[in-house]
Amino acid sequence: MYSEHQLWLIIDAIATLAWSARADGSPEFFNQRWLDYTGLSAEQALGSGWKLAIQPDDLPRMLEIFEQAVNARQSFEAEGRLRRCDGEFRWFLFRGSPLRDESGKVVKWYGTNTDIEDRKRVEDVLRADVKSFRQIIDSIPGVIVILTAEGQVELVNREGLEYFGKTLEELKSWSVQDVVHPDDVPAALTAWRHAVETGDPYNSDHRNRRADGVYRWFHSRALPLRDTNGRIVRWLNLNTDIDERKKAEEKLRRSEAYLAEAQRISHTGSFGWSVLSGEIYWSEETYNIFEHDRAAKPTLEFALSRIHPDDREFVQRTLERATNEGTDFDLEHRLLMPNGSVKHIHVLTRASKSSSGNLEFVGAVTDVTAAKQAEETLRESEAYLAEAQRLGHTGSWAWTPATGDMRYWSKECYRLLGLDPHGEQPRFETSFQRIHPDDQPRTAEKFERAKREQVEFELSYRIVHPGGEIRDMHVVGHPVLSPSGDLVEFVGTVVDVTERKRAEEKIRQSEMELRQILDFAPQHVAVLGHDRTRLYANQTVLDYFGLTLDEWRISDRRKYYHPDDWERLTSETQSKFLSGMPHEYEARFLGKDGKYRWFLFRWSPLRDEQGRLMRWYATATDIEERKQAEQRLHDENVALREEIDRASMFEEIVGISSALHAVLSRVSKVAPTDSTVLITGETGTGKELIARAVHRRSQRSSRAFVSVNCAAIPRDLIASELFGHEKGAFTGATQRRVGRFELAEGGTIFLDEIGELPAETQIALLRVLQEHEFDRVGGTGSIRSNVRVIAATNRDLQAAIAGSTFRSDLFYRLNVFPIEVPPLRERREDIPVLVEYFIDRYARKAGKSIRGVNKKSLELFQSYPWPGNIRELQNVIERSVIVCDTENFSVDESWLSQRSLATEMNMGLGLSKKLPSQEKAIIEAALTESGGRVSGPSGAAAKLGIPGSTLESKIKSLKINKNHFKTTAPSEDRI
């Protein structure tokens, strides 16, 4: 550590003026550098002597700054002039910082004085340069603004101050919104933010407000000014007045809009062709006529390829003559379009030469297909020609609302309004006076609304000719807007619809006659307005609802639709009604008898000559019988799909043993009848396969076969699964559900594990067997049932009856025709056949070729008792095929249990014959042996010879806690 004296020596040696003061600010020390510079001794400088070295003009300000820092106990900075020993004052930067003890109390002040004389002189020079710079920018013709890096105004030239009519200080407080036109503010701000964020030059065209409130267009460009480190310190902004250029551009755009609109209305396009370069220009309408992709450049070869083959030679000769002679040409020909349609076009071309002497053609191409088709049709009959000309008169016009002038007025407009076509072009007021007095207020209101909202309008009114004749007119107007969204004018058409009005009157008379005819039709028929206002319904509709025509018109249509159909139809048909498209849908309608029936609704629109929607015609055909048939088919398909998903593990019954043949013989005898069948047998013997065989050979084979595992369904849900439930019958019943008995209507239902059926469900099943009817859960009405019942179990139902877990009356209803399926150990002659069948099945599935069976493995299969029967055999073979690496099939002997048949028989068959208390003891013993495991090769279910799901159900019903039997030691079957 340095001593205090050593520290003072170090401070004296540094090339900086340094000092220290006590906590109250009184000087305590000045380093030698400070004393040498000022020429004062240490004694002279202490106390208030140091003030003699400060320029008198700067001393009060600096004392005030230092006093504030001492009071606030904060660091400070101040600029002031310090006297050198030769009497010259130089600018210094005074800095001071407090020193605090551990408690934060200021104990001393340290400071330095840094010479900034050179910087001050540079700043004086810069101020002089700024004055010269100001004179330069004031002489530039344009508004110049200098901004800080953050965008604050620093300087505006004289022309800018005069344009805005503000002082510099006033402009500094202005925002962009005060200067730029409101419509241009978003784009101007976006461009400015981009420039600030990226440092790119700023470019924007917008309108600036002049001192008199008038906005003029300016092009504003700003460039960033950077320091030596590349940081932006200022923005130099030049605003150039481009108002006259903008007005010229607006005028050009308006002319182009007129041209494009005229081309669109008249189906006329323009083109240009340079013969030397082959370059071709097409207008938008020319692309439309030729149906050419705008992304592809047009070529002469493409245009020629579109020409009809019969006209192509003629057109090519015309082009060759025109290019050789440099002459104009005028011709008509046909275009063959890709879809096979034909267009007629008229081409009019003028030849000219460019400044370089190259031959060029400019011209117009008009789609005259409609005219050609009209001419072809009109040639068939002079009478039709005269009628078509009279009905087809349509006038076109252009109206400027701002001035009230009719900018354009076709000759047909003169004729339609009864005006002299050779007279002066009428003003809007003149044509308006031709409108029938009763129609003028409504028409004027329509015009004013179209001007105010700048929207299309369409209206009909009557015209009174000078001779008193009244004609009906239909007018359509379309607004033309400037790029800034201002209304320029309306363009449109006026059509004489007098004959159409008369025809509509005749149609109304015909409708009256048609209604009388429709009242006798058996189909539901209705007529509605274009807005679906109900106008007419035939008597069949009224009779169905029990309403009069007036009641039907004002009734709430929603209450007649089934609630489940209304929301669906509202979303599906809304767009079709709005677009006037024909459509159809199916829905249920509530009749006067309070019942819903299915109807097929078809909606067809009626339009006038202009394509406007006039009417909706609706028909409704009763399809209730068809829907019921579809529902039955749907239910059967649902059942079929479920059965496919839960298909049996067997594809067919395989075996040659006499025991199996005896079972199949009983199947063939009982199948043609409708008798109830009870199939018994151990687990895995194929009881469901036998049930399917009974169904396939029955008269119900064309209908559904529905399989239900009674042990796999929770007790609380078994009734809902079998008989269905109504919406809201219990928590979670969000909609009505069809039960398995309904799905099996007309077919067969297979109730597997019937012995696991709860007592309350046994009662409901007994009712089905006795009375052939049932109730849905939560339902209020009975449902008739035509279903054949086949039940199966591996339990001893007689023992269950003795234990009061199965109803005896239900047993006798089920046991009409019993079939007992023998276990595999009693069908040992079937084992080789089954082994061969399963090996072939799983080898093909695994993509392996197995040509033989190991003799020892086959003997092992035939000697094994197979407590799991065919299901166990299938699983062992599938597992062996997976691990088999040769063409000779073999099985791992450790996979087959070595327990004796007697043990298996005693445990499997004994369990089903025990009383509940004995049954519980046997299950607990098996759980103890298996360490609490239920499923798997070493589980309790395998030891008892019953399915895992059945054992789980028994554990739950007997309230056995299987977790009590779990051991912490690893199981023997785990590695």
Side-chain angles (χ1 to χ4, degrees), residues 271 273 275 300 304 307 314-333 345-352 359-365:
F271 65 89
W273 172 35
V275 178
L300 181 62
L304 291 174
I307 297 174
F314 161 68
V315 174
Q316 288 178 329
R317 287 201 311 269
T318 303
L319 290 177
E320 289 173 1
R321 183 173 62 254
T323 53
N324 292 334
E325 300 176 1
T327 58
D328 305 340
F329 61 89
D330 185 346
L331 75 158
E332 291 187 2
H333 62 82
I345 62 171
H346 177 215
V347 182
L348 179 62
T349 306
R350 294 288 180 266
S352 63
L359 180 62
E360 295 179 347
F361 289 95
V362 294
V365 53

mmCIF file of all heavy atoms in Angstrom, residues 271 273 275 300 304 307 314-333 345-352 359-365:
data_model
loop_
_atom_site.group_PDB
_atom_site.id
_atom_site.type_symbol
_atom_site.label_atom_id
_atom_site.label_comp_id
_atom_site.label_asym_id
_atom_site.label_seq_id
_atom_site.Cartn_x
_atom_site.Cartn_y
_atom_site.Cartn_z
ATOM 1 N N PHE A 271 -53.067 -2.308 -80.114
ATOM 2 C CA PHE A 271 -51.806 -3.033 -80.213
ATOM 3 C C PHE A 271 -50.815 -2.220 -81.030
ATOM 4 O O PHE A 271 -51.182 -1.290 -81.778
ATOM 5 C CB PHE A 271 -52.011 -4.414 -80.844
ATOM 6 C CG PHE A 271 -52.468 -4.381 -82.283
ATOM 7 C CD1 PHE A 271 -51.540 -4.338 -83.317
ATOM 8 C CD2 PHE A 271 -53.811 -4.379 -82.599
ATOM 9 C CE1 PHE A 271 -51.949 -4.295 -84.635
ATOM 10 C CE2 PHE A 271 -54.230 -4.346 -83.910
ATOM 11 C CZ PHE A 271 -53.298 -4.293 -84.942
ATOM 12 N N TRP A 273 -46.962 -2.977 -83.375
ATOM 13 C CA TRP A 273 -46.103 -4.061 -83.898
ATOM 14 C C TRP A 273 -44.954 -3.443 -84.673
ATOM 15 O O TRP A 273 -45.181 -2.694 -85.638
ATOM 16 C CB TRP A 273 -46.926 -4.993 -84.777
ATOM 17 C CG TRP A 273 -46.110 -6.029 -85.534
ATOM 18 C CD1 TRP A 273 -44.994 -6.649 -85.108
ATOM 19 C CD2 TRP A 273 -46.387 -6.507 -86.869
ATOM 20 N NE1 TRP A 273 -44.543 -7.510 -86.056
ATOM 21 C CE2 TRP A 273 -45.384 -7.463 -87.160
ATOM 22 C CE3 TRP A 273 -47.366 -6.254 -87.791
ATOM 23 C CZ2 TRP A 273 -45.336 -8.123 -88.372
ATOM 24 C CZ3 TRP A 273 -47.336 -6.926 -88.999
ATOM 25 C CH2 TRP A 273 -46.325 -7.858 -89.294
ATOM 26 N N VAL A 275 -42.150 -4.226 -87.167
ATOM 27 C CA VAL A 275 -41.874 -5.304 -88.129
ATOM 28 C C VAL A 275 -40.423 -5.750 -88.027
ATOM 29 O O VAL A 275 -40.128 -6.947 -88.077
ATOM 30 C CB VAL A 275 -42.214 -4.838 -89.557
ATOM 31 C CG1 VAL A 275 -41.874 -5.938 -90.575
ATOM 32 C CG2 VAL A 275 -43.682 -4.462 -89.662
ATOM 33 N N LEU A 300 -45.945 -12.675 -82.742
ATOM 34 C CA LEU A 300 -46.721 -12.835 -83.977
ATOM 35 C C LEU A 300 -47.103 -14.294 -84.171
ATOM 36 O O LEU A 300 -48.212 -14.605 -84.625
ATOM 37 C CB LEU A 300 -45.898 -12.324 -85.168
ATOM 38 C CG LEU A 300 -46.587 -12.414 -86.545
ATOM 39 C CD1 LEU A 300 -47.858 -11.558 -86.551
ATOM 40 C CD2 LEU A 300 -45.630 -11.959 -87.648
ATOM 41 N N LEU A 304 -50.909 -15.694 -84.709
ATOM 42 C CA LEU A 304 -51.301 -16.498 -85.883
ATOM 43 C C LEU A 304 -51.842 -17.861 -85.473
ATOM 44 O O LEU A 304 -52.744 -18.401 -86.125
ATOM 45 C CB LEU A 304 -50.094 -16.657 -86.810
ATOM 46 C CG LEU A 304 -49.622 -15.379 -87.523
ATOM 47 C CD1 LEU A 304 -48.336 -15.644 -88.295
ATOM 48 C CD2 LEU A 304 -50.710 -14.845 -88.460
ATOM 49 N N ILE A 307 -55.547 -17.897 -84.844
ATOM 50 C CA ILE A 307 -56.453 -17.657 -85.979
ATOM 51 C C ILE A 307 -57.074 -18.969 -86.416
ATOM 52 O O ILE A 307 -56.427 -20.029 -86.454
ATOM 53 C CB ILE A 307 -55.690 -16.990 -87.133
ATOM 54 C CG1 ILE A 307 -55.166 -15.611 -86.684
ATOM 55 C CG2 ILE A 307 -56.581 -16.841 -88.366
ATOM 56 C CD1 ILE A 307 -54.287 -14.932 -87.701
ATOM 57 N N PHE A 314 -55.659 -16.418 -95.485
ATOM 58 C CA PHE A 314 -56.115 -15.076 -95.871
ATOM 59 C C PHE A 314 -55.430 -14.000 -95.019
ATOM 60 O O PHE A 314 -54.964 -12.978 -95.535
ATOM 61 C CB PHE A 314 -57.636 -14.997 -95.724
ATOM 62 C CG PHE A 314 -58.173 -13.600 -95.655
ATOM 63 C CD1 PHE A 314 -58.121 -12.751 -96.759
ATOM 64 C CD2 PHE A 314 -58.727 -13.114 -94.475
ATOM 65 C CE1 PHE A 314 -58.615 -11.454 -96.678
ATOM 66 C CE2 PHE A 314 -59.216 -11.825 -94.388
ATOM 67 C CZ PHE A 314 -59.152 -10.993 -95.494
ATOM 68 N N VAL A 315 -55.327 -14.222 -93.710
ATOM 69 C CA VAL A 315 -54.694 -13.247 -92.832
ATOM 70 C C VAL A 315 -53.212 -13.118 -93.146
ATOM 71 O O VAL A 315 -52.659 -12.000 -93.181
ATOM 72 C CB VAL A 315 -54.900 -13.644 -91.355
ATOM 73 C CG1 VAL A 315 -54.120 -12.717 -90.437
ATOM 74 C CG2 VAL A 315 -56.383 -13.616 -90.991
ATOM 75 N N GLN A 316 -52.540 -14.243 -93.379
ATOM 76 C CA GLN A 316 -51.111 -14.186 -93.691
ATOM 77 C C GLN A 316 -50.846 -13.427 -94.979
ATOM 78 O O GLN A 316 -49.881 -12.651 -95.082
ATOM 79 C CB GLN A 316 -50.536 -15.606 -93.764
ATOM 80 C CG GLN A 316 -50.404 -16.286 -92.391
ATOM 81 C CD GLN A 316 -49.884 -17.697 -92.496
ATOM 82 O OE1 GLN A 316 -50.141 -18.376 -93.496
ATOM 83 N NE2 GLN A 316 -49.191 -18.148 -91.466
ATOM 84 N N ARG A 317 -51.691 -13.621 -96.013
ATOM 85 C CA ARG A 317 -51.534 -12.872 -97.268
ATOM 86 C C ARG A 317 -51.707 -11.375 -97.042
ATOM 87 O O ARG A 317 -50.971 -10.546 -97.565
ATOM 88 C CB ARG A 317 -52.549 -13.357 -98.302
ATOM 89 C CG ARG A 317 -52.227 -14.728 -98.893
ATOM 90 C CD ARG A 317 -52.937 -14.919 -100.232
ATOM 91 N NE ARG A 317 -54.355 -14.583 -100.154
ATOM 92 C CZ ARG A 317 -55.321 -15.457 -99.859
ATOM 93 N NH1 ARG A 317 -54.994 -16.731 -99.612
ATOM 94 N NH2 ARG A 317 -56.582 -15.083 -99.812
ATOM 95 N N THR A 318 -52.711 -11.027 -96.186
ATOM 96 C CA THR A 318 -52.944 -9.613 -95.897
ATOM 97 C C THR A 318 -51.738 -8.997 -95.190
ATOM 98 O O THR A 318 -51.317 -7.871 -95.493
ATOM 99 C CB THR A 318 -54.198 -9.466 -95.036
ATOM 100 O OG1 THR A 318 -55.319 -10.052 -95.711
ATOM 101 C CG2 THR A 318 -54.498 -7.995 -94.753
ATOM 102 N N LEU A 319 -51.167 -9.704 -94.201
ATOM 103 C CA LEU A 319 -50.004 -9.205 -93.484
ATOM 104 C C LEU A 319 -48.794 -9.051 -94.407
ATOM 105 O O LEU A 319 -48.042 -8.069 -94.323
ATOM 106 C CB LEU A 319 -49.659 -10.142 -92.313
ATOM 107 C CG LEU A 319 -50.633 -10.168 -91.137
ATOM 108 C CD1 LEU A 319 -50.179 -11.188 -90.099
ATOM 109 C CD2 LEU A 319 -50.743 -8.794 -90.501
ATOM 110 N N GLU A 320 -48.578 -10.022 -95.296
ATOM 111 C CA GLU A 320 -47.435 -9.949 -96.209
ATOM 112 C C GLU A 320 -47.555 -8.746 -97.140
ATOM 113 O O GLU A 320 -46.584 -8.015 -97.381
ATOM 114 C CB GLU A 320 -47.342 -11.244 -97.017
ATOM 115 C CG GLU A 320 -46.903 -12.448 -96.180
ATOM 116 C CD GLU A 320 -46.984 -13.740 -96.979
ATOM 117 O OE1 GLU A 320 -47.365 -13.677 -98.179
ATOM 118 O OE2 GLU A 320 -46.687 -14.806 -96.396
ATOM 119 N N ARG A 321 -48.766 -8.526 -97.668
ATOM 120 C CA ARG A 321 -48.962 -7.385 -98.567
ATOM 121 C C ARG A 321 -48.750 -6.064 -97.819
ATOM 122 O O ARG A 321 -48.101 -5.143 -98.322
ATOM 123 C CB ARG A 321 -50.369 -7.425 -99.165
ATOM 124 C CG ARG A 321 -50.624 -6.296 -100.166
ATOM 125 C CD ARG A 321 -51.955 -6.454 -100.883
ATOM 126 N NE ARG A 321 -53.066 -6.417 -99.959
ATOM 127 C CZ ARG A 321 -53.789 -7.466 -99.590
ATOM 128 N NH1 ARG A 321 -53.491 -8.668 -100.090
ATOM 129 N NH2 ARG A 321 -54.783 -7.348 -98.736
ATOM 130 N N ALA A 322 -49.289 -5.979 -96.568
ATOM 131 C CA ALA A 322 -49.157 -4.736 -95.819
ATOM 132 C C ALA A 322 -47.706 -4.459 -95.454
ATOM 133 O O ALA A 322 -47.242 -3.313 -95.509
ATOM 134 C CB ALA A 322 -50.014 -4.803 -94.562
ATOM 135 N N THR A 323 -46.955 -5.490 -95.063
ATOM 136 C CA THR A 323 -45.547 -5.277 -94.696
ATOM 137 C C THR A 323 -44.681 -4.977 -95.907
ATOM 138 O O THR A 323 -43.730 -4.188 -95.819
ATOM 139 C CB THR A 323 -45.004 -6.513 -93.964
ATOM 140 O OG1 THR A 323 -45.239 -7.692 -94.763
ATOM 141 C CG2 THR A 323 -45.695 -6.714 -92.626
ATOM 142 N N ASN A 324 -45.001 -5.596 -97.041
ATOM 143 C CA ASN A 324 -44.217 -5.335 -98.270
ATOM 144 C C ASN A 324 -44.470 -3.934 -98.803
ATOM 145 O O ASN A 324 -43.545 -3.264 -99.284
ATOM 146 C CB ASN A 324 -44.540 -6.379 -99.335
ATOM 147 C CG ASN A 324 -44.036 -7.768 -98.944
ATOM 148 O OD1 ASN A 324 -43.078 -7.892 -98.171
ATOM 149 N ND2 ASN A 324 -44.667 -8.805 -99.469
ATOM 150 N N GLU A 325 -45.718 -3.518 -98.755
ATOM 151 C CA GLU A 325 -46.077 -2.229 -99.332
ATOM 152 C C GLU A 325 -46.118 -1.105 -98.301
ATOM 153 O O GLU A 325 -46.238 0.066 -98.656
ATOM 154 C CB GLU A 325 -47.450 -2.335 -100.019
ATOM 155 C CG GLU A 325 -47.474 -3.377 -101.138
ATOM 156 C CD GLU A 325 -48.866 -3.542 -101.733
ATOM 157 O OE1 GLU A 325 -49.782 -2.820 -101.266
ATOM 158 O OE2 GLU A 325 -49.044 -4.383 -102.632
ATOM 159 N N GLY A 326 -46.063 -1.463 -97.014
ATOM 160 C CA GLY A 326 -46.121 -0.439 -95.970
ATOM 161 C C GLY A 326 -47.461 0.266 -95.937
ATOM 162 O O GLY A 326 -47.519 1.487 -95.721
ATOM 163 N N THR A 327 -48.559 -0.486 -96.123
ATOM 164 C CA THR A 327 -49.897 0.113 -96.207
ATOM 165 C C THR A 327 -50.757 -0.302 -95.019
ATOM 166 O O THR A 327 -50.472 -1.284 -94.326
ATOM 167 C CB THR A 327 -50.597 -0.327 -97.503
ATOM 168 O OG1 THR A 327 -50.659 -1.781 -97.519
ATOM 169 C CG2 THR A 327 -49.839 0.159 -98.720
ATOM 170 N N ASP A 328 -51.840 0.460 -94.831
ATOM 171 C CA ASP A 328 -52.814 0.119 -93.801
ATOM 172 C C ASP A 328 -53.572 -1.134 -94.220
ATOM 173 O O ASP A 328 -53.593 -1.518 -95.398
ATOM 174 C CB ASP A 328 -53.812 1.264 -93.599
ATOM 175 C CG ASP A 328 -53.115 2.576 -93.283
ATOM 176 O OD1 ASP A 328 -51.955 2.528 -92.855
ATOM 177 O OD2 ASP A 328 -53.760 3.637 -93.462
ATOM 178 N N PHE A 329 -54.211 -1.792 -93.220
ATOM 179 C CA PHE A 329 -55.094 -2.896 -93.584
ATOM 180 C C PHE A 329 -56.252 -2.960 -92.600
ATOM 181 O O PHE A 329 -56.168 -2.503 -91.463
ATOM 182 C CB PHE A 329 -54.358 -4.238 -93.654
ATOM 183 C CG PHE A 329 -53.724 -4.680 -92.367
ATOM 184 C CD1 PHE A 329 -54.431 -5.445 -91.446
ATOM 185 C CD2 PHE A 329 -52.402 -4.363 -92.078
ATOM 186 C CE1 PHE A 329 -53.846 -5.864 -90.266
ATOM 187 C CE2 PHE A 329 -51.803 -4.783 -90.901
ATOM 188 C CZ PHE A 329 -52.528 -5.534 -89.992
ATOM 189 N N ASP A 330 -57.365 -3.483 -93.096
ATOM 190 C CA ASP A 330 -58.627 -3.580 -92.354
ATOM 191 C C ASP A 330 -59.251 -4.909 -92.702
ATOM 192 O O ASP A 330 -59.552 -5.167 -93.878
ATOM 193 C CB ASP A 330 -59.540 -2.413 -92.754
ATOM 194 C CG ASP A 330 -60.824 -2.389 -91.933
ATOM 195 O OD1 ASP A 330 -61.118 -3.394 -91.265
ATOM 196 O OD2 ASP A 330 -61.536 -1.362 -91.980
ATOM 197 N N LEU A 331 -59.429 -5.816 -91.715
ATOM 198 C CA LEU A 331 -59.964 -7.132 -92.017
ATOM 199 C C LEU A 331 -60.692 -7.709 -90.819
ATOM 200 O O LEU A 331 -60.522 -7.255 -89.682
ATOM 201 C CB LEU A 331 -58.855 -8.087 -92.449
ATOM 202 C CG LEU A 331 -57.903 -8.655 -91.354
ATOM 203 C CD1 LEU A 331 -57.259 -9.938 -91.843
ATOM 204 C CD2 LEU A 331 -56.844 -7.652 -90.983
ATOM 205 N N GLU A 332 -61.517 -8.701 -91.132
ATOM 206 C CA GLU A 332 -62.209 -9.468 -90.099
ATOM 207 C C GLU A 332 -61.857 -10.930 -90.263
ATOM 208 O O GLU A 332 -61.746 -11.425 -91.394
ATOM 209 C CB GLU A 332 -63.724 -9.274 -90.194
ATOM 210 C CG GLU A 332 -64.205 -7.894 -89.820
ATOM 211 C CD GLU A 332 -65.732 -7.819 -89.776
ATOM 212 O OE1 GLU A 332 -66.368 -8.872 -90.004
ATOM 213 O OE2 GLU A 332 -66.262 -6.734 -89.522
ATOM 214 N N HIS A 333 -61.670 -11.609 -89.146
ATOM 215 C CA HIS A 333 -61.403 -13.048 -89.199
ATOM 216 C C HIS A 333 -61.823 -13.666 -87.872
ATOM 217 O O HIS A 333 -62.241 -12.976 -86.933
ATOM 218 C CB HIS A 333 -59.930 -13.330 -89.502
ATOM 219 C CG HIS A 333 -58.973 -12.806 -88.464
ATOM 220 N ND1 HIS A 333 -58.696 -13.474 -87.305
ATOM 221 C CD2 HIS A 333 -58.238 -11.669 -88.432
ATOM 222 C CE1 HIS A 333 -57.829 -12.794 -86.579
ATOM 223 N NE2 HIS A 333 -57.522 -11.677 -87.240
ATOM 224 N N ILE A 345 -63.312 -11.286 -84.790
ATOM 225 C CA ILE A 345 -62.669 -10.030 -84.443
ATOM 226 C C ILE A 345 -62.525 -9.160 -85.687
ATOM 227 O O ILE A 345 -62.422 -9.665 -86.825
ATOM 228 C CB ILE A 345 -61.283 -10.239 -83.788
ATOM 229 C CG1 ILE A 345 -60.318 -10.944 -84.740
ATOM 230 C CG2 ILE A 345 -61.415 -11.005 -82.498
ATOM 231 C CD1 ILE A 345 -58.891 -10.978 -84.209
ATOM 232 N N HIS A 346 -62.519 -7.859 -85.463
ATOM 233 C CA HIS A 346 -62.305 -6.870 -86.518
ATOM 234 C C HIS A 346 -61.007 -6.148 -86.211
ATOM 235 O O HIS A 346 -60.843 -5.563 -85.129
ATOM 236 C CB HIS A 346 -63.481 -5.888 -86.561
ATOM 237 C CG HIS A 346 -63.291 -4.801 -87.578
ATOM 238 N ND1 HIS A 346 -63.742 -3.523 -87.380
ATOM 239 C CD2 HIS A 346 -62.678 -4.796 -88.798
ATOM 240 C CE1 HIS A 346 -63.429 -2.781 -88.431
ATOM 241 N NE2 HIS A 346 -62.784 -3.543 -89.310
ATOM 242 N N VAL A 347 -60.048 -6.152 -87.165
ATOM 243 C CA VAL A 347 -58.726 -5.564 -86.977
ATOM 244 C C VAL A 347 -58.584 -4.378 -87.920
ATOM 245 O O VAL A 347 -58.768 -4.515 -89.138
ATOM 246 C CB VAL A 347 -57.600 -6.590 -87.239
ATOM 247 C CG1 VAL A 347 -56.239 -5.955 -86.982
ATOM 248 C CG2 VAL A 347 -57.789 -7.822 -86.369
ATOM 249 N N LEU A 348 -58.266 -3.219 -87.370
ATOM 250 C CA LEU A 348 -58.047 -1.999 -88.151
ATOM 251 C C LEU A 348 -56.655 -1.480 -87.804
ATOM 252 O O LEU A 348 -56.364 -1.220 -86.632
ATOM 253 C CB LEU A 348 -59.104 -0.942 -87.816
ATOM 254 C CG LEU A 348 -58.979 0.398 -88.548
ATOM 255 C CD1 LEU A 348 -59.128 0.196 -90.055
ATOM 256 C CD2 LEU A 348 -60.033 1.374 -88.041
ATOM 257 N N THR A 349 -55.766 -1.320 -88.822
ATOM 258 C CA THR A 349 -54.363 -1.021 -88.570
ATOM 259 C C THR A 349 -53.893 0.129 -89.455
ATOM 260 O O THR A 349 -54.294 0.239 -90.620
ATOM 261 C CB THR A 349 -53.496 -2.268 -88.843
ATOM 262 O OG1 THR A 349 -54.001 -3.358 -88.080
ATOM 263 C CG2 THR A 349 -52.055 -2.028 -88.443
ATOM 264 N N ARG A 350 -53.028 0.974 -88.880
ATOM 265 C CA ARG A 350 -52.383 2.062 -89.605
ATOM 266 C C ARG A 350 -50.877 1.806 -89.620
ATOM 267 O O ARG A 350 -50.275 1.493 -88.591
ATOM 268 C CB ARG A 350 -52.667 3.400 -88.933
ATOM 269 C CG ARG A 350 -54.126 3.801 -88.990
ATOM 270 C CD ARG A 350 -54.531 4.217 -90.408
ATOM 271 N NE ARG A 350 -55.927 4.596 -90.465
ATOM 272 C CZ ARG A 350 -56.924 3.781 -90.800
ATOM 273 N NH1 ARG A 350 -56.646 2.519 -91.110
ATOM 274 N NH2 ARG A 350 -58.162 4.208 -90.835
ATOM 275 N N ALA A 351 -50.263 2.003 -90.840
ATOM 276 C CA ALA A 351 -48.820 1.823 -91.001
ATOM 277 C C ALA A 351 -48.117 3.159 -90.815
ATOM 278 O O ALA A 351 -48.622 4.208 -91.231
ATOM 279 C CB ALA A 351 -48.503 1.242 -92.371
ATOM 280 N N SER A 352 -46.952 3.134 -90.179
ATOM 281 C CA SER A 352 -46.151 4.342 -90.003
ATOM 282 C C SER A 352 -44.700 3.923 -89.905
ATOM 283 O O SER A 352 -44.375 2.731 -89.795
ATOM 284 C CB SER A 352 -46.582 5.091 -88.742
ATOM 285 O OG SER A 352 -46.349 4.292 -87.594
ATOM 286 N N LEU A 359 -40.511 0.196 -90.255
ATOM 287 C CA LEU A 359 -41.960 0.095 -90.430
ATOM 288 C C LEU A 359 -42.612 -0.388 -89.139
ATOM 289 O O LEU A 359 -42.162 -1.371 -88.536
ATOM 290 C CB LEU A 359 -42.284 -0.872 -91.576
ATOM 291 C CG LEU A 359 -43.776 -1.086 -91.882
ATOM 292 C CD1 LEU A 359 -44.433 0.226 -92.326
ATOM 293 C CD2 LEU A 359 -43.947 -2.158 -92.957
ATOM 294 N N GLU A 360 -43.667 0.309 -88.731
ATOM 295 C CA GLU A 360 -44.426 -0.058 -87.536
ATOM 296 C C GLU A 360 -45.915 0.001 -87.850
ATOM 297 O O GLU A 360 -46.345 0.770 -88.721
ATOM 298 C CB GLU A 360 -44.116 0.894 -86.371
ATOM 299 C CG GLU A 360 -42.681 0.817 -85.885
ATOM 300 C CD GLU A 360 -42.424 1.795 -84.745
ATOM 301 O OE1 GLU A 360 -43.282 2.679 -84.530
ATOM 302 O OE2 GLU A 360 -41.379 1.669 -84.068
ATOM 303 N N PHE A 361 -46.683 -0.835 -87.137
ATOM 304 C CA PHE A 361 -48.136 -0.828 -87.264
ATOM 305 C C PHE A 361 -48.747 -0.574 -85.889
ATOM 306 O O PHE A 361 -48.307 -1.157 -84.889
ATOM 307 C CB PHE A 361 -48.659 -2.161 -87.804
ATOM 308 C CG PHE A 361 -48.339 -2.401 -89.257
ATOM 309 C CD1 PHE A 361 -47.221 -3.133 -89.628
ATOM 310 C CD2 PHE A 361 -49.156 -1.889 -90.257
ATOM 311 C CE1 PHE A 361 -46.914 -3.361 -90.956
ATOM 312 C CE2 PHE A 361 -48.859 -2.113 -91.590
ATOM 313 C CZ PHE A 361 -47.734 -2.850 -91.949
ATOM 314 N N VAL A 362 -49.739 0.280 -85.853
ATOM 315 C CA VAL A 362 -50.553 0.459 -84.650
ATOM 316 C C VAL A 362 -51.996 0.282 -85.062
ATOM 317 O O VAL A 362 -52.386 0.624 -86.194
ATOM 318 C CB VAL A 362 -50.345 1.852 -84.012
ATOM 319 C CG1 VAL A 362 -48.944 1.998 -83.483
ATOM 320 C CG2 VAL A 362 -50.651 2.971 -85.006
ATOM 321 N N GLY A 363 -52.807 -0.279 -84.152
ATOM 322 C CA GLY A 363 -54.188 -0.514 -84.545
ATOM 323 C C GLY A 363 -55.062 -0.931 -83.396
ATOM 324 O O GLY A 363 -54.665 -0.888 -82.230
ATOM 325 N N ALA A 364 -56.274 -1.328 -83.745
ATOM 326 C CA ALA A 364 -57.275 -1.747 -82.769
ATOM 327 C C ALA A 364 -57.869 -3.075 -83.207
ATOM 328 O O ALA A 364 -58.030 -3.335 -84.392
ATOM 329 C CB ALA A 364 -58.371 -0.690 -82.637
ATOM 330 N N VAL A 365 -58.177 -3.908 -82.219
ATOM 331 C CA VAL A 365 -58.827 -5.182 -82.485
ATOM 332 C C VAL A 365 -60.093 -5.227 -81.641
ATOM 333 O O VAL A 365 -60.060 -5.008 -80.429
ATOM 334 C CB VAL A 365 -57.894 -6.376 -82.165
ATOM 335 C CG1 VAL A 365 -57.347 -6.285 -80.763
ATOM 336 C CG2 VAL A 365 -58.605 -7.703 -82.368
#
